[in-house]
Amino acid sequence: MSFGPLDHLRRNIGVRLSLWYAFVFTLSSLALLTLAYYLLAAAVGRKDREVLEARLKEVGTLYQAGGVRAVRDWINNQPPQLRHNLYIRLVNIYSGVDFVSFPEDWVSLRDVPTGREGFRHQVPVIRIPQNEERDFILVSAELSDGTLLRIGRTADSRAALLNPIRRIFFIVGTATVVLGFLAGAFFASRAMQPIRQIVDTARSIIRTGQLDARVPVRESDDELDELVRLFNTLLNKNEALIRAMRESLDNVAHDLRTPLARLRGTAEAALQSDADPAAAREALADCIEESERVLAMLNTLMDIAEAEAGMMKLERQSVDLCQLVAEAVELYQYVAEEKKIALRTDLKSTPALATTVQSVMQPASVMSGETDSGPHHVVASVDPTRMRQAFANLLDNAIKYTPEGGLVTVSVRGEPHEALVIIRDNGIGIPADEQDKIWSRLYRGDKSRSQRGLGLGLSLVKAIVEAHGGRVTVSSEPGKGAEFTVLLPR
């Protein structure tokens, strides 16, 4: 689906973040400028009112002390600039207007209502425009004898004072809007950079199929960097899984090719018209053997997959690991004798733990003080069939890669929280760079390709042990043998 430029901008989260940032920034700035403007206008009006109220109080005091004469003398003694800018009017409750003093430019206010009724409807401050630049400002008060005192003065027009400020605020507001949009675009671009890099990396992987592409990681350690690291970790795991899957498929195809070719060749030979019945029966037996080998490989792969997916069914029982190991050793005793390999066992746990286990498992005669000359018990909750299979695979591996005259030692130890089964040999050993790879399915090292096997034994061991909540480790040096340790929770 294709989108036009406007649709692309509308769908761009960076543009939307920029617009939202500019909108919020502009709204906030507009609110602050409006508040500042009204506070300034109120301050101008309050200043004019305070000046007139001070004059009103002063003239009222003079009138109450000395009457109209005192007010007239006070005006005559004022500087000309103040006298020509001041308006005073006294309205007596009985005789009407007692005194009027106003400059020539106040003639237009000569007919302003002055009666008692007009006074009652007066507001505290009256502003009357004189021209575009000047205003008349009037205040009124009623004195104690009922006389109305009104004082006015000429002041700068509030609109004339505030117009330049409005223009400045408009310029500042416009600059704020532009700055808000640019700042929003900048910060949105910086914030969305990891997201764009993730999108570009995903597109690169989809387009080229190269799974080694990664998103660059910044050093800010914020949530987006954590997202980038998690995305890279996901890519690493996906790459490892796909690589392992490809290697597994290659190995399966390679390992199945030989038995299937043999199976086909044997079947073709059996179908020859001149083949005798004995040869045909032998060919059918070979076909069954090869098919069982293929089925064993597929079943093992299925077991490993079930264990790794956490779906392997385990019939857990409290089992003596010493007994399981002894059964596996007995199974491979004949194989070891054929290769002239000594197979030794050490099936003893720590004394303190052995006493605790014996007190639970042995009858009352043992608990009363009789000694037990046999091996100590190391009990763990495991599936005996699966664990016997794992121990047998480790023994088979040790005997297979130990030369004639070598030694394989199997020991079992019980610790307070886990049981250890250690299988040690003095065979060819494992190179350090292969020790992490031996657990992979169908992996066979260079030195092991000449031996029989499918490359699934150690993978199955690891899968079974981890399905039981344990772990298996290896330590080895080339030419000095290997030591495999199985650790199981008690």
Side-chain angles (χ1 to χ4, degrees), residues 450-467:
S450 59
Q451 300 288 338
R452 60 176 176 84
L454 303 175
L456 294 172
L458 294 180
S459 299
L460 183 60
V461 169
K462 184 174 184 292
I464 292 175
V465 172
E466 291 182 352

Side-chain angles (χ1 to χ4, degrees), residues 420-474:
L420 286 76
V421 178
I422 304 171
I423 299 177
R424 185 184 302 109
D425 64 71
N426 58 356
I428 60 176
I430 305 171
D433 58 343
E434 294 184 3
Q435 291 182 15
D436 291 334
K437 301 177 183 178
I438 60 175
W439 309 108
S440 301
R441 282 173 278 187
L442 299 169
Y443 177 80
R444 304 186 69 184
D446 294 335
K447 296 182 179 180
S448 64
R449 294 192 180 276
S450 59
Q451 300 288 338
R452 60 176 176 84
L454 303 175
L456 294 172
L458 294 180
S459 299
L460 183 60
V461 169
K462 184 174 184 292
I464 292 175
V465 172
E466 291 182 352
H468 283 80
R471 64 188 189 278
V472 58
T473 63
V474 61

